[in-house]
Amino acid sequence: MTTTTENLWPDFALDTEIRGPKTILTEQASFLANGTKNLLTADVIVSPYGNDGGLSYRFEIVASNLNGYKYTLFRIFQGEIFYYPCNFSISNKSFLINSEEELLQTLKGVFSDAETIKIITSLIAQSKENATSTLG
Amino acid sequence: MQSLNFLFWNTNRKPLIKEIANIAKHNNIDVILLAEHNLNDVDLLLELNSESADYHLPNPIFQSNRIKVFTKFSNNFIIPVADESENRFTCFKIKFPIIEELLVFGVHLPDNRNNQNVSIGSHAGRIARRIKELEKEQNLTNTIVVGDFNMNPSDVGMVDAESFHAIMDSEIAKKESRMVSSKEYDYFYNPMWSLHGDIGNNVAGSYFYKNAELVNYHWNVFDQVLLRPSLIDNFEKDSLKLLDSDGKKSLLKKGGLPNEKYSDHLPLIFTLNLDLK
């Protein structure tokens, strides 16, 4: 005997395009590499956070020519299941991000902040200074 | 299939940044290996990336002064394996998620003006044994060996089964190995035999040297690439070239010999079409 119950699920929007921190940060890492001609690159390191299935995203600037020196610019902490709200942590400051739009705005502010520009400029200058004319 | 275009050039300690970048752009090179280099890494990177951001600095783990490696791939995909200056090679893996792994050796053997041919052959034997050991360690036989061997393809150090055991016939090399006195010897395929001489080639070799000795080859093919049998079908034979131009200007002088203003060696390019996993 077969029992057929009606489908109780609503229709789901499969074409949803909510972009999480990892996608956005990876794109921004690629823009940094392009903008510095790969003198500087950035890694997005994802690791578990807390005991409830949360995730931590670390945005690391990498200077290959400084023996692969890595500088963590900021971190994002995401709770279980949902991308947003998430927690954005830079230097000693920490604040809540409620949506993709807020994250983009925050990143724009961080990237054009005088302190960040100073760090990037310094890493570029040191990478150039550290370039050796080795004889093979 | 994923195509990988390689360039090897012994730049004779000339700061050939423009010329390297021209060749790389003109031939869509993915992996650049340089011997006898005298260049500033950042200057070359900026020239390579003048119209894009395709190329990356050498992996900081590479310490070799003999061979400099620039690629279009981030350091996540270029894995240093061994960097043995005393053995005159550097070795790395190209490891992408979707294609077969590749083991690449960049070599530069001692020059033949200060070393007898038999001595270079002894070095070759030592390098060949290390290659075999590293292939075993890495459990990989997708191996290419590229560089300035300071030997011609027909020299004993290239052909000797106790050395590179590199032969000119890809069909025979595909048999993978042969037995000699109860010992098994793996083959390399050496396509460079086809580039020694002027029939069908733009130049008769990669390096020209003429002196008053009775035996003098004039043109030599010191710059070579060897492939293990597992890569023969991936090797695009028509792609193998000794370049006489950087794409913008000739690297030859009047009479068709290498112009020492650039390098006394000509650049070598080739393509591998790698299988998807």
Coordinates of all heavy atoms in Angstrom, one line a residue, chain B residues 115-201:
Chain B
N115 N 85.4 22.0 -17.6 CA 85.2 20.6 -17.2 C 85.3 19.7 -18.4 O 84.7 20.1 -19.5 CB 83.8 20.5 -16.6 CG 83.7 21.2 -15.3 OD1 84.0 20.7 -14.2 ND2 83.2 22.5 -15.3
Q116 N 85.9 18.6 -18.3 CA 86.0 17.6 -19.4 C 84.6 17.0 -19.5 O 83.8 17.0 -18.6 CB 86.9 16.5 -19.1 CG 88.4 16.9 -18.9 CD 89.2 15.7 -18.6 OE1 89.2 14.7 -19.3 NE2 89.9 15.8 -17.4
N117 N 84.3 16.6 -20.7 CA 83.0 16.0 -21.0 C 82.7 14.8 -20.1 O 81.5 14.7 -19.6 CB 82.9 15.6 -22.5 CG 81.5 15.6 -23.0 OD1 80.9 14.6 -23.0 ND2 81.1 16.8 -23.4
V118 N 83.7 14.0 -19.7 CA 83.4 12.9 -18.8 C 83.1 13.4 -17.4 O 82.3 12.7 -16.7 CB 84.6 11.9 -18.8 CG1 84.7 11.1 -20.0 CG2 85.9 12.6 -18.5
S119 N 83.6 14.5 -17.0 CA 83.3 15.0 -15.7 C 81.8 15.5 -15.7 O 81.1 15.2 -14.7 CB 84.2 16.2 -15.3 OG 85.5 15.8 -15.3
I120 N 81.4 16.2 -16.7 CA 80.0 16.6 -16.8 C 79.1 15.4 -16.8 O 78.1 15.3 -16.2 CB 79.8 17.5 -18.1 CG1 80.7 18.7 -18.1 CG2 78.3 17.9 -18.1 CD1 80.7 19.5 -19.4
G121 N 79.6 14.3 -17.5 CA 78.8 13.1 -17.5 C 78.7 12.5 -16.1 O 77.6 11.9 -15.8
S122 N 79.7 12.6 -15.3 CA 79.6 12.1 -13.9 C 78.6 12.9 -13.1 O 77.8 12.3 -12.4 CB 81.0 12.2 -13.2 OG 81.9 11.3 -13.8
H123 N 78.6 14.2 -13.3 CA 77.6 15.1 -12.7 C 76.2 14.6 -13.1 O 75.3 14.5 -12.3 CB 77.8 16.5 -13.0 CG 78.8 17.2 -12.2 ND1 78.5 17.7 -10.9 CD2 80.1 17.5 -12.4 CE1 79.6 18.3 -10.4 NE2 80.6 18.2 -11.3
A124 N 76.1 14.3 -14.4 CA 74.8 13.9 -15.0 C 74.3 12.7 -14.3 O 73.1 12.5 -13.9 CB 74.9 13.7 -16.5
G125 N 75.2 11.7 -14.1 CA 74.8 10.5 -13.4 C 74.3 10.7 -12.0 O 73.3 10.1 -11.6
R126 N 75.0 11.6 -11.3 CA 74.6 12.0 -9.9 C 73.2 12.6 -9.9 O 72.3 12.2 -9.1 CB 75.6 12.9 -9.3 CG 75.6 13.0 -7.8 CD 76.8 13.6 -7.2 NE 76.7 15.1 -7.4 CZ 77.6 15.9 -6.9 NH1 78.6 15.5 -6.2 NH2 77.4 17.2 -7.1
I127 N 73.0 13.5 -10.8 CA 71.7 14.2 -10.9 C 70.6 13.1 -11.3 O 69.5 13.1 -10.7 CB 71.7 15.3 -11.9 CG1 72.6 16.4 -11.5 CG2 70.3 15.9 -12.1 CD1 72.9 17.5 -12.5
A128 N 70.9 12.3 -12.2 CA 69.9 11.3 -12.7 C 69.5 10.4 -11.5 O 68.3 10.0 -11.4 CB 70.4 10.5 -13.8
R129 N 70.5 10.0 -10.7 CA 70.2 9.2 -9.5 C 69.3 9.9 -8.5 O 68.4 9.3 -8.0 CB 71.5 8.7 -8.8 CG 72.2 7.6 -9.6 CD 73.3 6.9 -8.8 NE 74.4 7.8 -8.7 CZ 75.4 8.1 -9.6 NH1 75.3 7.4 -10.8 NH2 76.4 8.9 -9.3
R130 N 69.5 11.2 -8.3 CA 68.7 12.0 -7.4 C 67.3 12.1 -8.0 O 66.3 12.1 -7.2 CB 69.3 13.4 -7.2 CG 70.4 13.4 -6.2 CD 70.0 13.1 -4.8 NE 69.1 14.1 -4.2 CZ 68.1 13.7 -3.3 NH1 67.8 12.5 -3.1 NH2 67.4 14.7 -2.8
I131 N 67.2 12.3 -9.3 CA 65.9 12.4 -9.9 C 65.1 11.1 -9.6 O 63.9 11.2 -9.2 CB 66.0 12.6 -11.4 CG1 66.5 14.0 -11.7 CG2 64.7 12.4 -12.1 CD1 66.9 14.3 -13.1
K132 N 65.7 10.0 -9.8 CA 65.1 8.7 -9.5 C 64.6 8.6 -8.1 O 63.5 8.2 -7.8 CB 66.1 7.6 -9.9 CG 65.5 6.2 -9.9 CD 64.8 5.9 -11.2 CE 64.0 4.6 -11.0 NZ 62.7 4.6 -11.7
E133 N 65.5 9.0 -7.1 CA 65.2 9.0 -5.7 C 63.9 9.9 -5.4 O 63.0 9.5 -4.7 CB 66.3 9.4 -4.9 CG 67.5 8.4 -4.8 CD 68.8 9.1 -4.2 OE1 68.7 10.2 -3.7 OE2 69.8 8.4 -4.2
L134 N 64.0 11.1 -6.0 CA 62.9 12.0 -5.7 C 61.6 11.6 -6.3 O 60.5 11.8 -5.8 CB 63.3 13.4 -6.1 CG 64.4 14.1 -5.3 CD1 64.9 15.3 -5.9 CD2 63.8 14.5 -3.9
E135 N 61.7 11.0 -7.5 CA 60.4 10.4 -8.1 C 59.8 9.3 -7.2 O 58.6 9.3 -7.0 CB 60.8 9.8 -9.5 CG 61.0 10.8 -10.6 CD 61.4 10.1 -11.9 OE1 62.0 9.0 -11.9 OE2 61.1 10.7 -12.9
K136 N 60.7 8.5 -6.6 CA 60.2 7.5 -5.7 C 59.6 8.1 -4.4 O 58.5 7.7 -4.0 CB 61.4 6.6 -5.3 CG 61.1 5.2 -5.0 CD 62.3 4.3 -4.8 CE 62.2 3.0 -5.5 NZ 63.4 2.2 -5.4
E137 N 60.3 9.1 -3.9 CA 59.8 9.8 -2.6 C 58.4 10.4 -2.9 O 57.5 10.4 -2.1 CB 60.8 10.9 -2.2 CG 61.9 10.5 -1.3 CD 62.8 11.7 -1.1 OE1 62.3 12.9 -1.0 OE2 64.0 11.5 -0.9
Q138 N 58.3 11.0 -4.1 CA 57.1 11.7 -4.4 C 56.0 10.8 -5.0 O 54.9 11.3 -5.3 CB 57.4 12.9 -5.4 CG 58.3 14.0 -4.8 CD 57.7 14.7 -3.7 OE1 56.5 15.0 -3.7 NE2 58.5 15.1 -2.7
N139 N 56.4 9.6 -5.3 CA 55.5 8.7 -6.0 C 55.0 9.2 -7.3 O 53.8 9.2 -7.5 CB 54.4 8.3 -5.0 CG 53.6 7.0 -5.5 OD1 54.2 6.2 -6.2 ND2 52.4 6.9 -5.1
L140 N 55.9 9.8 -8.1 CA 55.5 10.5 -9.3 C 56.5 10.1 -10.4 O 57.7 10.1 -10.2 CB 55.6 12.0 -9.1 CG 54.3 12.8 -8.7 CD1 54.7 14.3 -8.5 CD2 53.2 12.7 -9.7
T141 N 55.9 9.9 -11.6 CA 56.8 9.7 -12.7 C 56.5 10.7 -13.9 O 57.0 10.5 -15.0 CB 56.7 8.2 -13.3 OG1 55.4 7.9 -13.5 CG2 57.3 7.3 -12.3
N142 N 55.6 11.6 -13.6 CA 55.3 12.6 -14.6 C 56.4 13.7 -14.5 O 56.2 14.8 -13.9 CB 53.9 13.3 -14.3 CG 52.8 12.5 -14.8 OD1 53.0 11.5 -15.5 ND2 51.6 12.9 -14.4
T143 N 57.6 13.3 -15.0 CA 58.7 14.2 -14.7 C 59.2 14.8 -16.0 O 59.3 14.2 -17.0 CB 59.9 13.3 -14.2 OG1 59.4 12.6 -13.0 CG2 61.1 14.1 -13.7
I144 N 59.6 16.1 -15.9 CA 60.4 16.7 -16.9 C 61.6 17.3 -16.3 O 61.6 17.7 -15.2 CB 59.6 17.8 -17.7 CG1 59.3 19.1 -16.8 CG2 58.3 17.3 -18.3 CD1 58.8 20.2 -17.7
V145 N 62.7 17.2 -17.1 CA 64.0 17.8 -16.7 C 64.4 18.8 -17.8 O 64.4 18.4 -19.0 CB 65.1 16.7 -16.6 CG1 66.3 17.3 -16.0 CG2 64.6 15.6 -15.7
V146 N 64.5 20.0 -17.4 CA 64.8 21.1 -18.4 C 66.0 21.9 -17.9 O 66.1 22.2 -16.7 CB 63.5 21.9 -18.7 CG1 63.0 22.6 -17.5 CG2 63.8 22.9 -19.8
G147 N 66.8 22.4 -18.8 CA 67.9 23.2 -18.4 C 69.0 23.2 -19.4 O 68.9 22.8 -20.5
D148 N 70.1 23.8 -18.9 CA 71.4 23.8 -19.6 C 72.3 22.6 -19.2 O 72.8 22.7 -18.1 CB 72.1 25.2 -19.4 CG 73.4 25.2 -20.1 OD1 73.8 24.3 -20.8 OD2 74.1 26.3 -19.9
F149 N 72.3 21.6 -20.0 CA 73.0 20.4 -19.6 C 74.5 20.5 -19.9 O 75.3 19.6 -19.5 CB 72.4 19.2 -20.3 CG 71.0 18.8 -19.9 CD1 69.9 19.5 -20.3 CD2 70.8 17.7 -19.0 CE1 68.6 19.2 -19.8 CE2 69.5 17.4 -18.6 CZ 68.4 18.1 -19.0
N150 N 74.9 21.5 -20.7 CA 76.3 21.6 -21.2 C 76.8 20.3 -21.8 O 77.9 19.9 -21.8 CB 77.2 22.0 -20.1 CG 77.3 23.5 -20.0 OD1 77.5 24.2 -21.0 ND2 77.0 24.1 -18.8
M151 N 75.8 19.6 -22.4 CA 76.1 18.4 -23.2 C 75.2 18.4 -24.4 O 74.1 19.0 -24.3 CB 75.8 17.1 -22.4 CG 76.8 16.8 -21.3 SD 76.5 15.2 -20.5 CE 75.0 15.6 -19.5
N152 N 75.6 17.8 -25.5 CA 74.7 17.6 -26.6 C 73.8 16.4 -26.4 O 74.2 15.5 -25.6 CB 75.5 17.5 -27.9 CG 75.9 18.8 -28.4 OD1 75.1 19.7 -28.6 ND2 77.2 19.0 -28.6
P153 N 72.7 16.3 -27.1 CA 71.8 15.1 -26.9 C 72.5 13.8 -27.1 O 72.2 12.8 -26.5 CB 70.7 15.3 -27.9 CG 70.6 16.8 -28.1 CD 72.1 17.3 -28.0
S154 N 73.5 13.8 -28.0 CA 74.2 12.5 -28.3 C 75.4 12.2 -27.4 O 76.0 11.2 -27.5 CB 74.8 12.6 -29.7 OG 75.6 13.7 -29.9
D155 N 75.7 13.1 -26.4 CA 76.8 12.9 -25.5 C 76.5 11.7 -24.6 O 75.3 11.5 -24.2 CB 77.2 14.1 -24.7 CG 78.0 15.1 -25.5 OD1 78.6 14.7 -26.5 OD2 78.0 16.3 -25.2
V156 N 77.6 11.0 -24.2 CA 77.4 9.8 -23.3 C 76.6 10.1 -22.1 O 75.7 9.4 -21.7 CB 78.8 9.3 -23.0 CG1 78.7 8.1 -22.0 CG2 79.5 8.7 -24.2
G157 N 76.9 11.3 -21.4 CA 76.2 11.6 -20.2 C 74.7 11.8 -20.4 O 73.9 11.7 -19.4
M158 N 74.2 12.0 -21.6 CA 72.8 12.1 -21.8 C 72.2 10.8 -22.1 O 71.0 10.5 -21.8 CB 72.5 13.1 -23.0 CG 72.9 14.5 -22.9 SD 72.2 15.3 -21.4 CE 70.4 15.2 -21.8
V159 N 73.0 9.9 -22.8 CA 72.4 8.6 -23.3 C 72.7 7.5 -22.4 O 71.8 6.5 -22.3 CB 73.0 8.4 -24.7 CG1 72.4 7.1 -25.3 CG2 72.8 9.5 -25.6
D160 N 73.8 7.5 -21.6 CA 74.2 6.4 -20.7 C 73.0 6.0 -19.8 O 72.4 6.8 -19.2 CB 75.3 6.9 -19.9 CG 76.0 5.8 -19.0 OD1 75.4 4.8 -18.9 OD2 77.0 6.1 -18.4
A161 N 72.7 4.7 -19.8 CA 71.6 4.2 -18.9 C 71.9 4.5 -17.5 O 70.9 4.6 -16.7 CB 71.4 2.7 -19.2
E162 N 73.1 4.6 -17.1 CA 73.4 5.0 -15.7 C 73.3 6.5 -15.4 O 73.5 7.0 -14.3 CB 74.9 4.5 -15.3 CG 75.1 3.0 -15.2 CD 74.6 2.5 -13.9 OE1 74.1 3.2 -13.0 OE2 74.6 1.2 -13.7
S163 N 73.0 7.2 -16.5 CA 72.8 8.6 -16.4 C 71.4 9.0 -16.8 O 70.5 8.4 -16.3 CB 73.9 9.3 -17.2 OG 73.8 10.7 -17.0
F164 N 71.2 9.9 -17.7 CA 69.8 10.3 -18.0 C 69.1 9.3 -18.9 O 67.9 9.2 -18.9 CB 69.8 11.7 -18.7 CG 70.1 12.8 -17.8 CD1 71.2 13.6 -17.9 CD2 69.2 13.1 -16.7 CE1 71.5 14.6 -17.1 CE2 69.5 14.2 -15.9 CZ 70.7 14.9 -16.0
H165 N 69.8 8.5 -19.6 CA 69.2 7.4 -20.4 C 68.2 8.0 -21.3 O 67.0 7.5 -21.4 CB 68.6 6.3 -19.5 CG 68.4 5.0 -20.2 ND1 67.4 4.2 -19.9 CD2 69.0 4.5 -21.3 CE1 67.4 3.1 -20.6 NE2 68.4 3.3 -21.5
A166 N 68.5 9.1 -22.0 CA 67.6 9.9 -22.8 C 67.8 9.6 -24.3 O 68.8 9.9 -24.8 CB 67.8 11.4 -22.5
I167 N 66.7 9.1 -24.9 CA 66.8 8.7 -26.3 C 65.9 9.5 -27.2 O 65.0 10.1 -26.7 CB 66.6 7.1 -26.4 CG1 65.1 6.8 -26.0 CG2 67.6 6.3 -25.6 CD1 64.7 5.5 -26.4
M168 N 66.2 9.3 -28.5 CA 65.5 10.2 -29.4 C 64.2 9.7 -30.0 O 63.5 10.4 -30.7 CB 66.4 10.5 -30.6 CG 66.6 9.4 -31.6 SD 67.6 8.1 -31.0 CE 69.2 8.6 -31.3
D169 N 63.8 8.4 -29.7 CA 62.7 7.8 -30.3 C 61.6 7.7 -29.2 O 61.7 6.9 -28.3 CB 63.1 6.4 -30.8 CG 62.0 5.7 -31.6 OD1 60.8 5.8 -31.1 OD2 62.3 5.1 -32.6
S170 N 60.5 8.4 -29.4 CA 59.4 8.4 -28.4 C 58.7 7.1 -28.3 O 58.2 6.7 -27.2 CB 58.4 9.5 -28.7 OG 57.9 9.4 -30.0
E171 N 58.6 6.4 -29.4 CA 57.9 5.1 -29.4 C 58.7 4.1 -28.5 O 58.2 3.3 -27.8 CB 57.7 4.5 -30.8 CG 56.6 5.3 -31.5 CD 55.3 5.4 -30.8 OE1 54.8 4.4 -30.3 OE2 54.7 6.5 -30.7
I172 N 60.1 4.1 -28.7 CA 60.9 3.2 -27.9 C 60.8 3.6 -26.4 O 60.7 2.8 -25.5 CB 62.4 3.1 -28.4 CG1 62.4 2.5 -29.8 CG2 63.3 2.4 -27.4 CD1 63.7 2.5 -30.5
A173 N 60.9 4.9 -26.2 CA 60.9 5.4 -24.8 C 59.6 5.1 -24.1 O 59.6 4.8 -22.9 CB 61.1 7.0 -24.8
K174 N 58.5 4.9 -24.9 CA 57.2 4.6 -24.3 C 57.2 3.2 -23.7 O 56.3 2.8 -22.9 CB 56.1 4.7 -25.4 CG 55.5 6.1 -25.5 CD 54.4 6.0 -26.5 CE 54.0 7.4 -26.9 NZ 53.0 7.4 -28.0
K175 N 58.2 2.4 -24.1 CA 58.3 1.0 -23.4 C 58.8 1.2 -22.0 O 58.9 0.2 -21.3 CB 59.3 0.2 -24.2 CG 58.8 -0.1 -25.7 CD 59.7 -1.1 -26.4 CE 59.5 -1.2 -27.9 NZ 58.1 -1.4 -28.3
E176 N 59.1 2.4 -21.6 CA 59.4 2.8 -20.2 C 60.8 2.5 -19.7 O 61.4 3.2 -19.0 CB 58.3 2.3 -19.2 CG 57.0 2.9 -19.5 CD 55.9 2.6 -18.5 OE1 56.2 1.8 -17.5 OE2 54.8 3.2 -18.6
S177 N 61.3 1.2 -20.0 CA 62.6 0.9 -19.5 C 63.2 -0.3 -20.3 O 62.5 -0.8 -21.2 CB 62.4 0.4 -18.0 OG 61.6 -0.8 -18.0
R178 N 64.4 -0.5 -20.1 CA 65.0 -1.7 -20.7 C 66.0 -2.4 -19.7 O 66.4 -1.7 -18.7 CB 65.8 -1.3 -22.0 CG 67.0 -0.5 -21.8 CD 67.6 -0.1 -23.1 NE 68.7 0.9 -22.9 CZ 70.0 0.6 -23.2 NH1 70.3 -0.5 -23.7 NH2 70.9 1.5 -22.9
M179 N 66.3 -3.6 -19.9 CA 67.2 -4.4 -19.0 C 68.6 -4.4 -19.6 O 68.7 -4.7 -20.8 CB 66.7 -5.8 -18.9 CG 65.3 -6.0 -18.3 SD 65.1 -5.4 -16.6 CE 66.1 -6.7 -15.7
V180 N 69.5 -4.1 -18.8 CA 70.9 -4.3 -19.2 C 71.6 -5.0 -18.1 O 71.6 -4.5 -16.9 CB 71.6 -2.9 -19.5 CG1 73.1 -3.1 -19.9 CG2 70.8 -2.1 -20.5
S181 N 72.2 -6.1 -18.4 CA 72.9 -6.9 -17.4 C 72.1 -7.1 -16.1 O 72.5 -6.8 -15.0 CB 74.3 -6.3 -17.0 OG 75.1 -6.1 -18.1
S182 N 70.9 -7.5 -16.3 CA 69.9 -7.8 -15.3 C 69.4 -6.6 -14.4 O 68.8 -6.8 -13.4 CB 70.4 -8.9 -14.3 OG 70.9 -10.0 -15.0
K183 N 69.7 -5.5 -14.9 CA 69.3 -4.3 -14.2 C 68.3 -3.5 -15.1 O 68.6 -3.3 -16.3 CB 70.5 -3.4 -13.8 CG 70.1 -2.3 -12.8 CD 71.3 -1.5 -12.3 CE 70.9 -0.3 -11.6 NZ 71.9 0.6 -11.2
E184 N 67.3 -3.0 -14.5 CA 66.3 -2.2 -15.2 C 66.6 -0.7 -15.2 O 66.9 -0.2 -14.2 CB 64.9 -2.5 -14.6 CG 63.8 -1.9 -15.5 CD 62.4 -2.2 -15.0 OE1 62.3 -2.5 -13.8 OE2 61.4 -2.0 -15.8
Y185 N 66.6 -0.1 -16.4 CA 66.9 1.3 -16.5 C 65.7 2.0 -17.2 O 65.2 1.6 -18.3 CB 68.1 1.5 -17.4 CG 69.4 1.0 -16.7 CD1 69.8 -0.3 -17.0 CD2 70.1 1.8 -15.9 CE1 71.0 -0.8 -16.4 CE2 71.3 1.3 -15.3 CZ 71.7 0.0 -15.6 OH 72.9 -0.4 -15.0
D186 N 65.2 3.0 -16.5 CA 64.0 3.8 -17.0 C 64.5 4.8 -18.1 O 65.6 5.4 -18.0 CB 63.4 4.7 -15.9 CG 62.7 3.8 -14.9 OD1 62.4 2.6 -15.2 OD2 62.5 4.2 -13.7
Y187 N 63.7 5.0 -19.1 CA 64.0 5.9 -20.2 C 63.6 7.3 -19.9 O 62.6 7.5 -19.2 CB 63.3 5.5 -21.5 CG 63.8 4.3 -22.2 CD1 63.0 3.2 -22.4 CD2 65.1 4.4 -22.8 CE1 63.4 2.1 -23.2 CE2 65.5 3.3 -23.5 CZ 64.7 2.2 -23.7 OH 65.2 1.1 -24.5
F188 N 64.3 8.3 -20.5 CA 63.7 9.6 -20.7 C 63.6 9.7 -22.2 O 64.4 9.1 -23.0 CB 64.7 10.7 -20.3 CG 64.5 11.1 -18.8 CD1 65.4 10.9 -17.9 CD2 63.3 11.9 -18.5 CE1 65.2 11.3 -16.5 CE2 63.1 12.3 -17.2 CZ 64.0 12.0 -16.2
Y189 N 62.6 10.5 -22.7 CA 62.6 10.8 -24.1 C 63.2 12.2 -24.3 O 62.9 13.1 -23.5 CB 61.1 10.9 -24.6 CG 60.9 11.5 -25.9 CD1 61.6 11.1 -27.0 CD2 59.9 12.5 -26.1 CE1 61.4 11.7 -28.3 CE2 59.7 13.1 -27.3 CZ 60.4 12.7 -28.4 OH 60.2 13.2 -29.6
N190 N 64.1 12.3 -25.2 CA 64.8 13.5 -25.5 C 64.5 14.0 -26.9 O 65.1 13.6 -27.9 CB 66.3 13.4 -25.3 CG 67.0 14.7 -25.5 OD1 66.4 15.7 -25.7 ND2 68.3 14.7 -25.3
P191 N 63.5 14.9 -27.0 CA 63.1 15.4 -28.3 C 64.1 16.4 -29.0 O 63.9 16.7 -30.1 CB 61.8 16.2 -28.0 CG 61.9 16.6 -26.6 CD 62.7 15.6 -25.9
M192 N 65.1 16.7 -28.2 CA 66.0 17.8 -28.7 C 66.9 17.3 -29.8 O 67.5 18.2 -30.5 CB 66.9 18.3 -27.5 CG 66.2 18.9 -26.4 SD 65.0 20.2 -26.8 CE 66.1 21.4 -27.4
W193 N 67.0 16.0 -30.0 CA 67.8 15.5 -31.2 C 67.3 16.2 -32.5 O 68.1 16.5 -33.4 CB 67.7 14.0 -31.3 CG 68.4 13.2 -30.3 CD1 68.0 13.0 -29.0 CD2 69.6 12.4 -30.4 NE1 68.9 12.2 -28.3 CE2 69.8 11.8 -29.2 CE3 70.4 12.1 -31.5 CZ2 70.9 10.9 -29.0 CZ3 71.5 11.3 -31.4 CH2 71.8 10.7 -30.1
S194 N 66.0 16.4 -32.5 CA 65.4 16.9 -33.7 C 65.8 18.4 -34.0 O 65.5 18.9 -35.1 CB 63.9 16.8 -33.7 OG 63.5 15.5 -33.4
L195 N 66.3 19.0 -33.0 CA 66.6 20.5 -33.2 C 68.1 20.7 -33.4 O 68.6 21.8 -33.3 CB 66.1 21.3 -31.9 CG 64.7 21.9 -32.1 CD1 63.7 20.8 -32.4 CD2 64.4 22.7 -30.9
H196 N 68.9 19.6 -33.6 CA 70.3 19.8 -33.8 C 70.6 19.7 -35.3 O 70.5 18.6 -35.9 CB 71.1 18.7 -33.1 CG 72.5 19.1 -32.8 ND1 73.4 18.4 -32.0 CD2 73.2 20.2 -33.1 CE1 74.5 19.0 -31.9 NE2 74.5 20.1 -32.6
G197 N 70.8 20.8 -36.0 CA 71.0 20.8 -37.4 C 70.0 21.8 -38.0 O 69.0 22.2 -37.4
D198 N 70.3 22.1 -39.3 CA 69.5 23.3 -39.8 C 68.3 22.8 -40.7 O 67.6 23.7 -41.2 CB 70.4 24.2 -40.6 CG 71.1 23.6 -41.8 OD1 70.9 22.4 -42.0 OD2 71.8 24.3 -42.5
I199 N 68.1 21.6 -40.9 CA 67.0 21.2 -41.8 C 65.7 21.2 -41.0 O 65.5 20.6 -40.0 CB 67.2 19.7 -42.4 CG1 68.5 19.7 -43.3 CG2 66.0 19.3 -43.2 CD1 68.8 18.4 -43.8
G200 N 64.8 22.1 -41.5 CA 63.5 22.3 -40.8 C 63.6 23.1 -39.6 O 62.5 23.3 -38.9
N201 N 64.7 23.6 -39.2 CA 64.9 24.4 -38.0 C 65.3 25.8 -38.4 O 66.1 26.1 -39.3 CB 65.9 23.8 -37.0 CG 65.5 22.4 -36.6 OD1 64.3 22.2 -36.3 ND2 66.4 21.5 -36.5

